[in-house]
Amino acid sequence: MDRETIKNKILTIFDEEFEIVNPGENEDLREIHGFDSIDAIELLREIEIMLDTELTRDEKKKAMDIRTFSQICDYVESLSADRG
Amino acid sequence: MIKRTVDIIATLFLWIYFTLGHLFFFLPAYLLAAFLAKDRERAFQHLNHLFFRGFFALAQILIPGFTLKIDPAVTRLHGSVIVCNHVSYFDPILLIALFKRQKTIVKSDFFSFPFLGWNLKLSGYLPATATGSYTELVYKGISSMAEYLSSGGNLFVFPEGTRRRDGKMGRFNKGAFSIARKCRAPVQVIEILNTDRLFSPGHALLNTCIANRVTVMHKGEIDLSRAQKKISTRELIRQTRRIFKKMPSTPETIPDNDAR
């Protein structure tokens, strides 16, 4: 999955699930959009559906340090590459 | 002097029930539930419910001026996200005593306490933070929440996150509302009155020598399953705040014959 596709899918999830429209690439999602830990867990579940895979314990843990939209795209890009 | 002595004795007895009661009367039941129960989470929630029912029954014996008045509409609640004001440490244990099937969001540090942490995990309660070792726990809790709510369980949350000492309504965290929205579960708004008069923030002893009626009232409902359009989390919070403000707090509206 290329970066542009990932970006568009994440944007759709943000809009539909978290009511966050077009977040800035490097905005702190927690500070600016009130994206909390429950949202982060929901996002992980959406990512699993998007990639049709189950995330490992460490992959989920790693995601909790993510703060920006750009970092989310990096994270999904890396997961997608790992799974070929 | 007499008041202080009575406060100390009542507090001491309730602490003894809380600690030794857990150890000698309930620990064997928890162990049995942990190893034998088909639905361990449900069994642990039920045991917590019984334990705290016992706690409040004992409190009413030890503190003659203390009575509980529970709105029957509250005890009937099921399959809901229940949001409540928070004025005392007694609030969460009172809600556990009221609901046989209950989950809540708990300060993460408590999950590392011996026995308490084990109990919280097996009861399916959620840590307030999802970082580090708590990620998997929150992930499992959130993933199974829709099924839990639709099977009749309640999730109760204090959206202000902490006890209020000024009587004003604080800022709401959106977690509970995101869960309700995602699971399309009804949001029930309830209010607890006077637990802070019994166990005041900043005090170690219970305040026992006063007439004190602790009341739990149902103030309203937002039924998301019936909403035609998907309601936003922000709107859900706005409607909840409106319900909290809407009615004056009048325990007299609850019929006396339903007082527990």
Side-chain angles (χ1 to χ4, degrees):
Chain A
M1 207 182 293
D2 63 46
R3 176 111 185 160
E4 203 51 33
T5 312
I6 290 169
K7 196 175 155 183
N8 288 334
K9 286 191 174 184
I10 302 284
L11 278 174
T12 308
I13 292 170
F14 264 67
D15 185 9
E16 288 175 358
E17 300 300 326
F18 308 117
E19 302 149 1
I20 299 173
V21 182
N22 287 324
E25 292 259 332
N26 295 305
E27 282 175 358
D28 188 316
L29 293 167
R30 181 166 300 176
E31 292 294 321
I32 296 175
H33 299 284
F35 190 82
D36 61 15
S37 54
I38 290 174
D39 291 334
I41 295 290
E42 284 295 351
L43 179 62
L44 286 182
R45 298 179 64 211
E46 294 294 335
I47 289 170
E48 286 186 327
I49 295 167
M50 186 206 299
L51 299 177
D52 192 21
T53 185
E54 271 189 29
L55 300 178
T56 65
R57 212 173 258 249
D58 283 341
E59 285 169 339
K60 287 177 203 155
K61 217 185 258 187
K62 200 175 146 197
M64 292 298 122
D65 296 327
I66 291 173
R67 289 286 171 272
T68 67
F69 184 81
S70 172
Q71 287 172 341
I72 293 172
C73 293
D74 293 344
Y75 174 73
V76 177
E77 207 174 357
S78 135
L79 290 174
S80 175
D82 285 348
R83 281 154 175 80
Chain B
M1 183 65 186
I2 293 173
K3 181 198 173 313
R4 194 169 167 74
T5 310
V6 175
D7 285 351
I8 290 172
I9 291 170
T11 307
L12 201 65
F13 268 99
L14 285 168
W15 265 111
I16 289 170
Y17 175 82
F18 197 82
T19 50
L20 300 183
H22 244 143
L23 206 61
F24 292 111
F25 297 116
F26 277 78
L27 188 60
Y30 280 113
L31 287 172
L32 280 175
F35 292 109
L36 301 175
K38 247 185 207 168
D39 187 341
R40 201 163 51 178
E41 198 176 273
R42 197 175 184 140
F44 265 64
Q45 289 168 14
H46 195 192
L47 285 169
N48 294 341
H49 166 73
L50 292 175
F51 178 74
F52 286 116
R53 273 185 78 98
F55 181 86
F56 282 102
L58 182 63
Q60 286 181 95
I61 294 167
L62 291 170
I63 308 167
F66 167 54
T67 51
L68 276 173
K69 192 171 188 182
I70 311 299
D71 187 342
V74 170
T75 48
R76 283 196 295 267
L77 295 177
H78 64 278
S80 298
V81 174
I82 297 168
V83 290
C84 184
N85 65 316
H86 192 11
V87 288
S88 165
Y89 282 136
F90 270 21
D91 301 337
I93 63 173
L94 178 56
L95 295 186
I96 294 173
L98 291 182
F99 303 116
K100 202 185 276 184
R101 294 190 64 204
Q102 81 302 118
K103 285 190 183 187
T104 187
I105 299 173
V106 182
K107 205 173 166 185
S108 301
D109 292 346
F110 290 166
F111 282 79
S112 52
F113 287 13
F115 181 68
L116 177 63
W118 176 71
N119 185 332
L120 295 173
K121 276 178 207 164
L122 293 187
S123 300
Y125 297 170
L126 302 174
T129 53
T131 50
S133 56
Y134 303 119
T135 307
E136 195 63 24
L137 214 51
V138 181
Y139 182 88
K140 279 183 185 158
I142 296 291
S143 304
S144 59
M145 192 57 75
E147 196 186 332
Y148 166 75
L149 290 168
S150 66
S151 72
N154 287 314
L155 170 72
F156 71 81
V157 177
F158 305 103
E160 292 161 295
T162 186
R163 290 168 299 157
R164 296 294 299 188
R165 300 177 189 213
D166 55 7
K168 292 176 186 163
M169 204 188 304
R171 191 182 153 272
F172 283 3
N173 295 318
K174 68 186 180 84
F177 303 97
S178 308
I179 291 172
R181 181 176 176 267
K182 186 82 184 169
C183 302
R184 291 184 79 82
V187 174
Q188 309 288 351
V189 183
I190 66 172
E191 184 175 32
I192 299 181
L193 297 173
N194 296 334
T195 44
D196 53 337
R197 292 185 70 215
L198 179 64
F199 191 29
S200 311
H203 290 79
L205 294 178
L206 300 177
N207 187 18
T208 61
C209 295
I210 51 165
N212 188 15
R213 177 178 278 180
V214 167
T215 308
V216 186
M217 291 190 303
H218 186 241
K219 298 198 79 170
E221 175 190 31
I222 306 166
D223 189 348
L224 297 177
S225 64
R226 283 187 209 150
Q228 293 189 336
K229 215 175 80 183
K230 206 172 182 184
I231 191 167
S232 73
T233 306
R234 199 171 298 155
E235 174 59 19
L236 200 49
I237 292 174
R238 205 175 60 80
Q239 287 188 23
T240 302
R241 293 183 75 88
R242 205 190 301 150
I243 292 173
F244 266 122
K245 285 177 185 167
K246 190 175 67 178
M247 286 186 292
S249 303
T250 52
E252 286 70 28
T253 55
I254 305 169
D256 262 335
N257 56 356
D258 284 310
R260 316 258 152 145

